[in-house]
Amino acid sequence: MIIKSPIDLELTQSSGQTSQPPWKKINDSYREVVNVNDKLAIFDVKQSGDYLDFNFTGDVSENEAVSRLRYIYDLDFDLDEFYKYLSNHSELADMSDFCNGLRLFLAPDPFECVISSICSANNSIKRWTKSVSDIKQKWGDNYNGFYTFPGISTLQNVFLDDEEEFDLTNEEDICMCKNNLKSCGVGYRAPYMRKASELFTLEMDLLEIPKMTYEEALESILKVPGVGPKVADCILLYGFNFKEAFPSDVWIKRIVSYLYFDGKDISVSKVREFGMEEFGDYAGYVQLYMFHYARKSGLMDKLK
């Protein structure tokens, strides 16, 4: 079926949003297992003109599947209105040409977004997406060749590294110990991931986050080990659709400084405050478009 909301599927998939790794590309389709109201289904999407051609298999209704798809790709967000907003701001006016059809790629599983965002810190897109994919294959459930993200309680009990695995199992050769987080290439982030699992098991309910204000949600997410303001805003934007979040790192700092402050050195925290105040409910989208505009237009090379 054709879902008539404009999108550039490949750009959205490859944009490095920390909600999840890109879906598996098979020929010209992207496929993934998705939890739809506690039932699993395989979603299959491909580009059809400006729109998505959507098919699915699983014991879910068409209305349920379409509703879930519309959420994941943020298809109810009005891109035309957003482009009018960009065109009315000289600093942003060119961005829609370079990023046309780019949408938020929202997390079907907020816990996966938490772990993905922790894994993305000081990491390349290629490396963190491989690490998260490895975690899914090691401890997720296999559903017709696709793997769910492991549940919170599952990840809580995963070994941190080969030494812990060797000490607590009957394995006779430490070189054979591959059933641990560090074997997925997450490095120093492994303890943060397990502690996050413990936090969400014992102290905090992820399902409560969407019911909070942005400020309440930010305060809660900042309690997660290994999560600072940038990662927290990624979690809130890509995991929970708080569009007022403006994830800010050194690259966004350089871009904002170039566009708005004549290249002056300003702090990342000031950039975040500026982005939220200046762009309001469009902050998350503006940040997403800024980054990819800088990458695709050559501005990022100029700012290095």
Side-chain angles (χ1 to χ4, degrees):
M1 76 191 79
I2 303 299
I3 311 295
K4 291 191 174 180
S5 295
I7 185 174
D8 185 320
L9 178 60
E10 183 174 0
L11 178 58
T12 299
Q13 284 279 339
S14 64
S15 55
Q17 300 177 53
T18 60
S19 55
Q20 61 205 293
W23 289 7
K24 186 183 296 184
K25 191 170 186 181
I26 301 173
N27 297 322
D28 59 347
S29 293
Y30 290 92
R31 298 177 191 170
E32 187 56 277
V33 58
V34 176
N35 187 313
V36 182
N37 299 329
D38 295 325
K39 294 171 286 187
L40 297 181
I42 302 295
F43 281 17
D44 181 309
V45 291
K46 62 182 177 181
Q47 195 79 44
S48 178
D50 291 334
Y51 306 131
L52 289 184
D53 186 353
F54 174 48
N55 293 283
F56 69 95
T57 56
D59 187 22
V60 300
S61 70
E62 182 176 302
N63 285 341
E64 288 177 311
V66 170
S67 176
R68 197 70 173 131
L69 182 83
R70 295 191 73 88
Y71 174 79
I72 293 169
Y73 288 101
D74 203 28
L75 296 177
D76 293 323
F77 179 75
D78 192 332
L79 280 182
D80 287 337
E81 284 299 314
F82 178 56
Y83 293 159
K84 289 178 185 177
Y85 172 84
L86 295 179
S87 68
N88 288 328
H89 294 76
S90 58
E91 300 89 352
L92 310 175
D94 293 338
M95 293 183 182
S96 59
D97 291 333
F98 284 89
C99 306
N100 195 270
L102 175 60
R103 288 184 178 273
L104 286 179
F105 186 33
L106 296 168
D109 180 350
F111 181 59
E112 180 175 3
C113 181
V114 172
I115 300 303
S116 295
S117 298
I118 291 173
C119 194
S120 72
N122 302 311
N123 210 351
S124 69
I125 295 172
K126 183 176 181 180
R127 290 185 64 184
W128 78 253
T129 55
K130 183 180 186 305
S131 291
V132 175
S133 297
D134 288 348
I135 289 171
K136 293 170 73 168
Q137 290 190 33
K138 283 181 183 288
W139 301 293
D141 294 328
N142 185 336
Y143 182 80
N144 294 337
F146 294 84
Y147 292 87
T148 63
F149 195 79
I152 295 171
S153 59
T154 298
L155 211 61
Q156 182 186 0
N157 295 306
V158 168
F159 298 119
L160 286 180
D161 52 31
D162 54 2
E163 291 184 4
E164 185 178 78
E165 184 180 348
F166 183 69
D167 290 341
L168 297 177
T169 65
N170 295 322
E171 188 62 65
E172 295 181 356
D173 185 349
I174 196 170
C175 294
M176 301 301 293
C177 293
K178 302 295 183 182
N179 195 38
N180 59 78
L181 280 170
K182 284 194 175 180
S183 71
C184 298
V186 302
Y188 70 89
R189 306 166 191 84
Y192 297 147
M193 294 176 178
R194 196 164 72 178
K195 287 176 182 176
S197 305
E198 293 169 358
L199 182 71
F200 293 128
T201 299
L202 302 173
E203 300 179 32
M204 190 186 303
D205 185 353
L206 272 178
L207 298 179
E208 294 297 312
I209 299 294
K211 304 173 187 177
M212 299 178 182
T213 65
Y214 166 80
E215 290 76 14
E216 292 170 338
L218 179 67
E219 183 180 352
S220 296
I221 292 298
L222 284 172
K223 296 176 183 177
V224 179
V227 170
K230 192 268 176 131
V231 171
D233 273 333
C234 285
I235 292 169
L236 293 180
L237 178 60
Y238 305 127
F240 295 99
N241 201 17
F242 281 90
K243 288 187 172 70
E244 61 267 54
F246 191 76
S248 301
D249 59 10
V250 66
W251 283 111
I252 293 299
K253 167 187 167 179
R254 291 172 182 172
I255 296 165
V256 169
S257 174
Y258 175 82
L259 293 175
Y260 288 93
F261 295 97
D262 296 322
K264 294 178 182 176
D265 188 23
I266 51 177
S267 68
V268 170
S269 62
K270 289 294 184 183
V271 166
R272 177 178 170 274
E273 291 174 12
F274 169 81
M276 293 185 68
E277 291 174 4
E278 180 74 11
F279 309 123
D281 290 340
Y282 282 142
Y285 262 93
V286 170
Q287 188 269 5
L288 181 63
Y289 272 57
M290 269 187 179
F291 182 81
H292 288 282
Y293 164 76
R295 183 171 62 87
K296 295 179 72 174
S297 70
L299 175 59
M300 191 170 286
D301 291 331
K302 182 177 179 179
L303 297 177
K304 284 182 179 178

